[in-house]
């Protein structure tokens, strides 16, 4: 719809990319006009694009150059008149009027103090389009903004100005970082804001806040390659050369709240002398518990004792009583809820609880008095469970053994010898009930100086390790039975029936175990006690690692109240809520852990690019072949292009030809 009477010979103005352009109309139709603009171009323009049309006509007899000079001089005159336009003063005069819509000619007359002509009206309109704070042009009229709208626009303009400053300063900062002129220690608050914005964009891409602004900064500074931001952050000292990016992307908490730290410190300072005042807590300090763990372990949450009773064996599985210190509703329990689990990386760990707790008061340290939950299980010589008693206790660990220590002493130490006999029989019973043992080597990643990576495989089915694992399975099974028998709400692990079995008994075959792992039903966490087919038990939960798992801490609280004949700590609905929290936090933590593990393996393989590596074929299909690298146990796929196709179970050689640890990608060839 046109608001102007446009005819040949008129001077009109239209917008092109936000800029006023002056033109001379050479031909006019109802909806379109032909014109020559100030740049000498001939155009066919819709009438709807016209912003201003002159009231008088001009002769078209002049030559093209003269016409262009007229248009340019008109533009210069009108542009210079803009200096006399004070929109803020005009707005103050008009914002309180009864109407908020005015004719441009009227407002131009108010500003210039004389009758409106084409030049001053154009100068006014140009000013309105140049500064949109006070007025808005709409359908040939001028709308006055309300004070609220002006304030809103003013804030937006300030924000946009800050963004422009960030783009300019940010691109300068990146150039200074790239040239080595500035480090994190020299950053101004604005520099920190820019780097934070770019880090967030690198981690989250288009989903990051201010992603467009980050892209502008990077584009203006010439940092357009995918990992330029990462390398600049490393160069500035903001990130280390092997920054844990999956952890940053997941936004997992790595530090503890002030309240949680203070609470942990208070627990440490209070000591544990008051444990002996608890009439329901059994003093078992006369026993001689032993711990069996890795050489670098710092958080000891389980210990074992053995006593002979009338030809039977009373096995004590003593678990740190974390529930005594970390109680629902307090800041430490909330931290455990936020994390769900401790996360272990090759370069370190993120504990579920502060180290005052996890490596201090709740760690079963040799020679220290500790609160525990003791699962006293009487076994027959054939490892049948004859009696179970679960009790809060006080213990003092007498011996700390590493797995290697225990393996060396297994045949000479009377206690270890009997424990080893019992673990064999417990394991045989589970296998007879359908358990799959599936021993798989540990992939141990060692990092020197945060750069050089080495990988070694460690056996997981040594006697010492399986003594510990069998005793923990026994304690967890009986804990699940204890809660289930009392019809109490709880959290239980289960696994459906295994429909395809390729492993039977105690097979220690890498090919068969790898194939079986690919054919296992998913385990489930629920509030109903159901069989766990992979473990060969009728009930299962986990209570043996309350220092590092929320599930175990929750179940320890529930068992504590049952043992002490108190009202239940958690209702069924609360337990259902815990399953959601635990499933969510564990999924996130496991994903971060797996990605970080894979990153270090890719760094390791980077040094072996184009070198042949030993691999085992697990599955061979018409299009893809699935293999496992024998030195890292990495699962890989290759196209089925090898002729003849390799048979499952055979060893072949493959070579990595393209490795991008930052992209989490690797490509192999035969």
């Amino acid at each position: 719809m046109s608001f102007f009477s446009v005819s040949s010979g008129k001077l009109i103005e239209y917008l092109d990319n936000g800029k006023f352009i002056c033109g001379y109309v050479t031909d006019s139709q109802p909806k379109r006009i032909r014109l020559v603009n100030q740049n000498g171009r001939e155009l066919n323009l819709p009438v709807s694009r016209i912003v201003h049309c002159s009231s008088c006509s001009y002769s078209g007899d002049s030559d093209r150059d003269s016409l262009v000079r007229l248009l340019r001089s008109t533009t210069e005159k009108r542009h210079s008149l803009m200096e006399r336009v004070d929109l803020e003063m005009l707005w103050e005069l008009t914002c309180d009027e009864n109407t908020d819509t005015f004719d441009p000619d009227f407002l131009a007359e108010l500003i210039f103090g004389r009758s409106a002509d084409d030049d001053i009206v154009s100068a006014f309109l140009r000013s309105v389009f140049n500064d949109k704070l006070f007025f808005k042009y709409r359908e040939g009229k001028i709308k006055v903004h309300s004070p609220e709208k002006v304030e809103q626009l003013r804030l937006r303009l300030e924000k946009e100005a800050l963004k422009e400053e960030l783009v300019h300063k940010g691109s300068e900062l990146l150039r200074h970082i790239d040239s080595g002129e500035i480090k994190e220690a020299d950053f101004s608050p604005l520099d920190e804001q820019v780097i934070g914005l770019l880090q967030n964009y690198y981690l989250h891409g288009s989903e990051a806040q201010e992603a467009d602004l980050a892209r502008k900064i990077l584009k203006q500074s010439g940092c357009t390659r995918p990992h330029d931001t990462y390398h600049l952050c490393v160069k500035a000292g903001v990130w280390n050369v092997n920054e844990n990016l999956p952890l940053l992307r997941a936004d997992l908490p790595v530090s503890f709240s002030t309240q949680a730290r203070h609470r942990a410190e208070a627990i440490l300072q209070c000591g544990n002398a008051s444990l002996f005042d608890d009439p329901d807590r059994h003093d078992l300090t006369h026993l001689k518990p032993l711990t069996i763990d890795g050489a670098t372990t710092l958080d000891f949450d389980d210990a074992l004792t053995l006593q002979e009773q009338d030809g039977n064996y009373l096995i004590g599985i003593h678990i740190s009583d974390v529930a005594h210190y970390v109680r629902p509703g307090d800041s430490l329990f909330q931290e455990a809820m936020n994390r769900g689990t401790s996360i272990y990386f090759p370069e370190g760990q993120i504990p579920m609880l502060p180290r005052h707790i996890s490596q201090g008061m709740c760690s079963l340290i040799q020679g220290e008095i500790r609160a525990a939950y003791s699962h006293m299980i009487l076994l027959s010589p054939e490892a049948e469970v004859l009696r179970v008693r679960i009790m809060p206790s006080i213990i003092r660990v007498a011996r700390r053994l590493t797995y290697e220590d225990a393996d060396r002493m297994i045949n000479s130490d009377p206690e270890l010898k009997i424990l080893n006999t019992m673990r064999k029989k417990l394991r045989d019973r589970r296998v007879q009930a359908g358990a799959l043992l599936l021993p798989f080597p540990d992939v141990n990643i060692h990092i020197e100086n945060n750069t050089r990576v080495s990988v070694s495989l460690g056996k997981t089915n040594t006697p010492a390790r399986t003594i510990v694992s069998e005793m923990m399975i026994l304690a967890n099974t009986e804990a699940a039975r204890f809660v289930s028998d009392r019809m109490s709400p709880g959290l239980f692990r289960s696994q459906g029936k295994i429909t395809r079995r390729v492993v039977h008994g105690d097979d220690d075959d890498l090919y068969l175990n790898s194939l079986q792992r690919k054919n296992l039903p998913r385990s489930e966490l629920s509030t109903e006690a159901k069989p766990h087919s992979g473990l060969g038990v009728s009930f299962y939960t986990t209570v043996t690692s309350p220092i590092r798992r929320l599930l175990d801490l929750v179940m320890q609280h529930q068992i504590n109240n049952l043992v002490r004949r108190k009202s239940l700590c958690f209702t069924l609905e609360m337990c259902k809520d815990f399953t959601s929290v635990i499933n969510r936090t564990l999924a996130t933590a496991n994903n971060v852990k797996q990605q970080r593990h894979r990153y270090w393996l890719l760094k390791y393989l980077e040094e072996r690019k184009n070198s042949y590596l030993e691999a085992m074929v697990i599955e061979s299909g018409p299009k893809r072949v699935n293999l496992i690298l024998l030195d890292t146990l990495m699962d890989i796929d290759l196209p089925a292009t090898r002729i003849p196709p390799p048979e499952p179970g055979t060893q072949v050689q493959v070579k990595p030809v393209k490795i991008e640890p930052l992209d989490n990608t690797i490509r192999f060839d035969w």
Side-chain angles (χ1 to χ4, degrees):
M1 180 178 179
S2 173
F3 306 100
F4 307 102
S5 175
V6 183
S7 58
S8 299
K10 293 288 183 83
L11 295 191
I12 60 95
E13 288 175 302
Y14 65 95
L15 287 173
D16 186 18
N17 289 324
K19 183 180 179 181
F20 263 68
I21 303 294
C22 193
Y24 176 82
V25 180
T26 58
D27 184 41
S28 176
Q29 301 295 326
K31 293 186 177 181
R32 302 190 74 83
I33 59 169
R34 289 193 64 81
L35 60 87
V36 176
N37 71 15
Q38 65 191 51
N39 300 315
R41 293 181 60 200
E42 287 194 27
L43 296 175
N44 192 336
L45 194 75
V47 172
S48 59
R49 285 188 61 186
I50 298 174
V51 177
H52 178 250
C53 179
S54 65
S55 56
C56 59
S57 299
Y58 294 77
S59 171
D61 296 335
S62 304
D63 59 65
R64 172 68 63 86
D65 290 342
S66 298
L67 197 57
V68 169
R69 282 196 297 273
L70 169 66
L71 294 173
R72 288 180 177 176
S73 64
T74 301
T75 294
E76 290 173 7
K77 182 198 303 182
R78 293 173 177 181
H79 188 76
S80 64
L81 285 171
M82 289 173 63
E83 296 177 4
R84 295 170 57 186
V85 177
D86 187 339
L87 291 182
E88 186 170 8
M89 180 196 71
L90 181 64
W91 177 76
E92 289 173 352
L93 290 173
T94 55
C95 69
D96 293 328
E97 294 294 318
N98 292 330
T99 179
D100 65 354
T101 305
F102 295 89
D103 188 83
D105 292 19
F106 171 74
L107 295 179
E109 290 177 356
L110 276 181
I111 289 176
F112 286 92
R114 59 185 172 89
S115 297
D117 59 29
D118 292 336
D119 291 334
I120 67 172
V121 172
S122 170
F124 168 65
L125 288 172
R126 286 168 180 262
S127 299
V128 168
F129 277 91
N130 188 53
D131 181 356
K132 299 179 176 64
L133 186 59
F134 302 103
F135 300 96
K136 181 177 182 178
Y137 177 86
R138 179 186 290 172
E139 298 178 347
K141 298 292 184 180
I142 300 297
K143 181 177 174 60
V144 183
H145 289 156
S146 67
E148 293 78 17
K149 181 69 172 177
V150 169
E151 183 60 24
Q152 181 185 14
L153 290 172
R154 198 189 303 275
L155 290 173
R156 185 189 300 169
L157 289 171
E158 288 174 358
K159 189 175 179 181
E160 288 173 357
L162 177 60
K163 285 184 178 181
E164 288 303 314
E165 183 185 11
L166 280 173
V167 171
H168 175 68
K169 296 284 188 183
S171 58
E172 280 190 346
L173 172 65
L174 296 190
R175 283 192 285 269
H176 289 318
I177 291 173
D178 194 39
S179 62
E181 298 171 24
I182 188 170
K183 294 279 189 180
E184 183 183 18
D186 305 318
F187 283 175
S188 68
L190 186 63
D191 294 339
E192 291 177 358
Q193 184 179 352
V194 169
I195 290 297
L197 186 148
L198 295 178
Q199 286 175 311
N200 198 32
Y201 176 65
Y202 180 77
L203 294 170
H204 303 292
S206 296
E207 295 181 3
Q209 286 188 335
E210 306 286 7
D212 290 340
L213 181 57
R215 276 191 287 264
K216 286 181 182 177
I217 294 171
L218 292 169
K219 184 178 180 181
Q220 186 157 320
S221 62
C223 300
T224 55
R225 290 172 299 183
H227 301 296
D228 280 349
T229 300
Y230 176 85
H231 295 301
L232 285 168
C233 286
V234 171
K235 202 164 190 176
V238 178
W239 282 344
N240 68 52
V241 71
N242 289 300
E243 191 69 29
N244 193 334
L245 298 177
L247 180 64
L248 296 178
R249 287 193 178 101
D251 197 25
L252 291 175
V254 295
S255 59
F256 292 93
S257 67
T258 303
Q259 298 94 319
R261 290 198 307 272
H262 288 169
R263 174 71 183 138
E265 289 166 5
I267 289 171
L268 192 62
Q269 290 170 4
C270 285
N272 47 30
S274 61
L275 295 175
F276 294 93
D277 299 330
D278 181 354
D280 293 324
R281 191 173 290 278
H282 296 256
D283 184 354
L284 301 182
T285 54
H286 61 283
L287 299 179
K288 305 295 181 185
L290 61 88
T291 61
I292 307 175
D293 288 278
T296 59
T297 299
L298 297 173
D299 46 2
F300 303 93
D301 48 19
D302 58 83
L304 301 173
T305 56
L306 175 72
Q307 298 167 276
E308 291 192 47
Q309 286 190 359
D310 302 324
N312 299 313
Y313 300 102
L314 181 62
I315 306 286
I317 305 163
H318 310 276
I319 309 301
S320 172
D321 188 356
V322 182
H324 177 69
Y325 302 102
V326 181
R327 297 175 180 175
D330 75 9
S331 55
L332 291 174
F333 195 88
Q334 187 57 51
E335 292 287 353
M337 288 275 287
N338 293 341
R339 289 165 166 77
T341 182
S342 296
I343 311 177
Y344 297 88
F345 302 116
E347 69 270 33
Q349 69 166 130
I350 301 174
M352 185 179 78
L353 296 168
R355 287 181 170 82
H356 296 86
I357 297 290
S358 60
Q359 297 176 14
M361 188 56 75
C362 288
S363 185
L364 304 182
I365 299 168
Q366 182 179 1
E368 299 291 336
I369 294 291
R370 288 293 183 260
Y373 243 89
S374 295
H375 299 246
M376 308 302 290
I377 303 174
L378 187 64
L379 297 179
S380 74
E382 297 307 312
E384 299 170 293
V385 176
L386 303 177
R387 187 182 71 235
V388 178
R389 191 176 178 194
I390 303 175
M391 63 183 75
S393 63
I394 306 169
I395 67 168
R396 181 193 287 115
V397 170
R399 290 196 288 169
R400 180 204 167 181
L401 302 179
T402 65
Y403 292 121
E404 292 74 20
D405 293 334
D407 282 330
R408 279 195 307 270
M409 301 162 58
I410 205 89
N411 294 318
S412 58
D413 184 282
E415 195 171 13
L416 289 175
K417 194 171 185 178
I418 295 172
L419 286 172
N420 191 40
T421 301
M422 288 294 104
R423 70 94 186 170
K424 289 178 182 176
K425 293 181 177 180
L426 285 168
R427 178 163 284 206
D428 288 344
R429 282 183 170 278
R430 290 198 303 110
V431 169
Q432 289 168 17
L436 291 172
L437 303 180
L438 305 182
F440 215 69
D442 275 336
V443 180
N444 301 311
I445 300 173
H446 307 280
I447 303 158
E448 299 174 26
N449 302 321
N450 200 35
T451 52
R452 185 171 178 79
V453 186
S454 60
V455 177
S456 64
L457 301 183
K459 288 183 69 68
T460 57
N461 59 344
T462 68
R465 289 177 183 272
T466 49
I467 283 173
V468 174
S469 63
E470 284 302 324
M471 296 308 159
M472 297 308 113
I473 291 171
L474 177 61
N476 289 328
T477 302
E478 294 306 321
R481 191 188 311 277
F482 179 83
V483 175
S484 178
D485 284 353
R486 286 155 182 77
M487 306 291 287
S488 298
L491 304 175
F492 302 94
R493 289 274 181 203
S494 61
Q495 187 179 50
K497 188 177 179 181
I498 300 166
T499 55
R500 184 188 176 193
R501 283 182 175 266
V502 296
V503 172
H504 302 277
D506 194 5
D507 290 328
D508 191 8
D509 183 283
L510 184 63
Y511 163 66
L512 291 176
N513 287 343
S514 298
L515 188 59
Q516 184 69 76
R517 282 176 172 230
K518 291 178 178 292
N519 291 276
L520 288 177
R522 291 175 65 89
S523 64
E524 179 187 356
L525 175 66
S526 69
T527 55
E528 182 182 353
K530 295 182 288 187
H532 195 299
S533 58
L535 292 174
V537 295
S538 301
F539 310 99
Y540 200 69
T541 185
T542 57
V543 296
T544 52
S545 293
I547 289 176
R548 64 191 83 173
R549 287 196 298 245
L550 174 62
L551 167 57
D552 302 50
L553 177 58
V554 168
M555 285 300 286
Q556 194 174 69
H557 272 292
Q558 200 76 327
I559 290 171
N560 179 64
N561 281 30
L562 286 170
V563 168
R564 294 175 183 268
R565 294 181 173 81
K566 294 182 178 180
S567 57
L568 287 172
C569 191
F570 303 116
T571 64
L572 178 60
E573 287 305 311
M574 294 167 78
C575 288
K576 288 179 179 178
D577 290 341
F578 278 126
T579 63
S580 299
V581 171
I582 291 167
N583 282 331
R584 173 176 51 80
T585 53
L586 282 186
T588 302
N590 287 336
N591 186 45
V592 169
K593 182 179 176 181
Q594 288 165 10
Q595 286 189 53
R596 190 58 173 169
H597 180 88
R598 181 176 167 86
Y599 170 83
W600 285 116
L601 290 184
L602 293 184
K603 293 291 285 186
Y604 170 78
L605 292 170
E606 212 172 20
E607 298 178 9
R608 288 148 185 82
K609 185 177 177 181
N610 294 321
S611 299
Y612 281 102
L613 305 173
E614 295 294 325
M616 178 178 287
V617 179
I618 305 302
E619 292 179 308
S620 186
K623 293 184 178 181
R624 307 292 295 176
V625 178
N626 176 243
L627 310 96
I628 189 169
L629 295 182
L630 295 181
D631 62 341
T632 61
L633 302 188
M634 180 185 280
D635 194 69
I636 65 171
D637 282 324
L638 266 75
T641 55
R642 183 165 172 170
I643 299 175
E647 290 292 324
T650 59
Q651 290 191 27
V652 296
Q653 287 191 324
V654 297
K655 64 178 178 180
V657 293
K658 186 176 181 182
I659 306 169
E660 296 290 346
L662 287 176
D663 289 326
N664 189 29
T665 59
I666 185 167
R667 184 167 65 82
F668 287 87
D669 276 348
W670 295 104

